Amino acid sequence: MTEGDRPKARVLGIGAYRPRRSVANEELSEAIESSDEWIRERTGIARRRWADEDEPIEMMALAAGRAALAASGLDAASLDMVIVASCTSVQPFWPMASQVAGSLGLEVPAFDLNATCAGFCYSLGLARDLIGSGTVSTVLVVGAERCTDVLDHTDRGTAFLFADGAGAFVLGAGPTEGVGPVVWGSHGTKGGSLVLTPTWAEYRRDPGAGAPSVRMDGRRVFRWAAEEMPRVAQAAVDAVGLTLKDVAIFVPHQANLRITQAIVRGLDLPESVVVAEDIVDSGNTSSASVPLALERAIADGQAHSGDVALLVGFGGGLSFAAQVITVP
């Protein structure tokens, strides 16, 4: 098979699931001795979605996947593979992807991928290359998180940041390229900046240590993202032979509005480019944030079919991934 004959991956449909409950800053400020003004100033977040007990993570993943299938016009039987990106699944022996595939009536290859907040873009890159190799033709890629399951709701550094939700893409083979090469990597020596502590093993040995919860060195993560992600984003645009002037919408991981603004400045992004800011109403949903943000931009009329979108995921690990796609 020559390069010209290779199947090309494109996004066929995008779906999302947002938990019903919207939590304003005032609702959680007292527990962390904070305020709406303090949270907005440091993160840009006004509210976030937190899942109720009847909204488990696998249900949100399935709902987002079904919405993406509906948007693509395909039925589940068309899928050759299911990938779910997540860092908050607490049932590793029954992967969410296999649960989603089973619920869709499928017996296809299905697996979970954990690259924390970069997980969706990692999964998208993997699906793109599997389609290009001819291994599969149609893939459901989901990012799903219930960050509230691993939050210490009294921790002033994280309790107001993280949230829940799921977003999904259906990718399919076509004659023209709609997903660019992934630019990815990790800076593992800095991974201690964002961890779950104590570990589950430590908690089992000593329950008095308290349940595992997220802890983050926010300043260190901020500096890393602001310094490194402009380079990664530019490399993804270069990889498809475009310039930033060709980009219609920039969709970074919704980590913190100030981080987004720093990356935009570092890229010297043209004013014509729409910048997704779903974090204001959705909080930081880790691997779900990129598809959720693009889905919201489409729904709000900020992104349109055929637009060039630049996606960038980054977070724990410290892992990162970026690619350019064409909006379906």
Side-chain angles (χ1 to χ4, degrees), residues 7-10 12 69 72 74-84 97-98 100-102 104-111 126-141 169-174:
K8 308 295 194 302
R10 57 196 179 108
L12 304 177
L69 279 167
S72 74
L74 300 178
D75 57 33
S78 303
L79 296 175
D80 299 316
M81 177 175 284
V82 177
I83 306 173
V84 175
S98 65
V100 169
L104 292 172
L106 304 175
E107 296 183 354
V108 298
F111 59 92
L126 182 59
R128 180 240 188 209
D129 289 349
L130 287 170
I131 289 172
S133 71
T135 301
V136 294
S137 293
T138 311
V139 184
L140 174 62
V141 179
F169 286 5
V170 172
L171 269 67

Side-chain angles (χ1 to χ4, degrees), residues 3-321:
E3 184 62 32
D5 293 332
R6 289 184 179 278
K8 308 295 194 302
R10 57 196 179 108
V11 181
L12 304 177
I14 299 176
Y17 182 86
R18 301 173 190 274
R20 295 184 301 270
R21 183 183 174 197
S22 181
V23 180
N25 290 337
E26 292 86 352
E27 187 173 338
L28 52 79
S29 293
E30 184 176 348
I32 57 173
E33 299 180 351
S34 185
S35 67
D36 173 58
E37 181 181 13
W38 187 90
I39 295 170
R40 285 178 186 256
E41 180 182 339
R42 285 158 179 78
T43 68
I45 299 173
R47 58 191 62 82
R48 72 284 295 142
R49 296 294 185 99
W50 284 358
D52 287 327
E53 291 302 313
D54 63 345
E55 296 173 301
I57 189 169
E58 57 275 0
M59 178 275 258
M60 295 192 293
L62 176 61
R66 282 179 165 154
L69 279 167
S72 74
L74 300 178
D75 57 33
S78 303
L79 296 175
D80 299 316
M81 177 175 284
V82 177
I83 306 173
V84 175
S86 182
C87 61
T88 56
S89 171
V90 293
Q91 178 49 275
F93 284 90
W94 190 5
M96 255 192 297
S98 65
Q99 293 186 53
V100 169
S103 295
L104 292 172
L106 304 175
E107 296 183 354
V108 298
F111 59 92
D112 292 355
L113 185 152
N114 180 4
T116 64
C117 306
F120 187 83
C121 291
Y122 263 65
S123 300
L124 193 59
L126 182 59
R128 180 240 188 209
D129 289 349
L130 287 170
I131 289 172
S133 71
T135 301
V136 294
S137 293
T138 311
V139 184
L140 174 62
V141 179
V142 183
E145 306 284 9
R146 259 187 66 123
C147 297
T148 49
D149 286 342
V150 292
L151 271 187
D152 175 352
H153 291 274
T154 65
D155 177 29
R156 203 164 189 257
T158 59
F160 57 87
L161 272 176
F162 292 99
D164 307 329
F169 286 5
V170 172
L171 269 67
T176 58
E177 193 76 83
V179 180
V182 64
V183 175
W184 52 3
S186 66
H187 295 152
T189 58
K190 301 178 181 179
S193 301
L194 180 56
V195 296
L196 195 69
T197 185
T199 66
W200 287 105
E202 290 168 340
Y203 175 60
R204 288 192 64 179
R205 289 194 295 267
D206 178 16
S213 60
V214 176
R215 289 291 186 271
M216 180 173 66
D217 183 341
R219 291 180 180 177
R220 191 177 186 192
V221 173
F222 187 109
R223 289 195 300 270
W224 169 77
E227 292 170 2
E228 297 293 335
M229 291 313 104
R231 175 186 61 80
V232 173
Q234 183 65 62
V237 175
D238 294 343
V240 291
L242 298 178
T243 72
L244 290 171
K245 292 181 180 179
D246 298 308
V247 174
I249 181 166
F250 176 47
V251 189
H253 165 48
Q254 304 292 290
N256 179 314
L257 191 57
R258 289 176 58 211
I259 291 179
T260 295
Q261 292 165 346
I263 296 172
V264 167
R265 289 193 299 271
L267 269 175
D268 194 19
L269 205 63
E271 291 186 5
S272 60
V273 179
V274 172
V275 179
E277 297 182 352
D278 190 43
I279 189 169
V280 175
D281 295 313
S282 298
N284 179 342
T285 55
S286 190
S287 69
S289 80
V290 166
L292 281 172
L294 183 54
E295 189 272 346
R296 173 63 57 81
I298 294 170
D300 289 348
Q302 294 182 306
H304 308 87
S305 178
D307 281 352
V308 173
L310 171 58
L311 315 181
V312 182
F314 54 89
L318 294 169
S319 302
F320 58 87

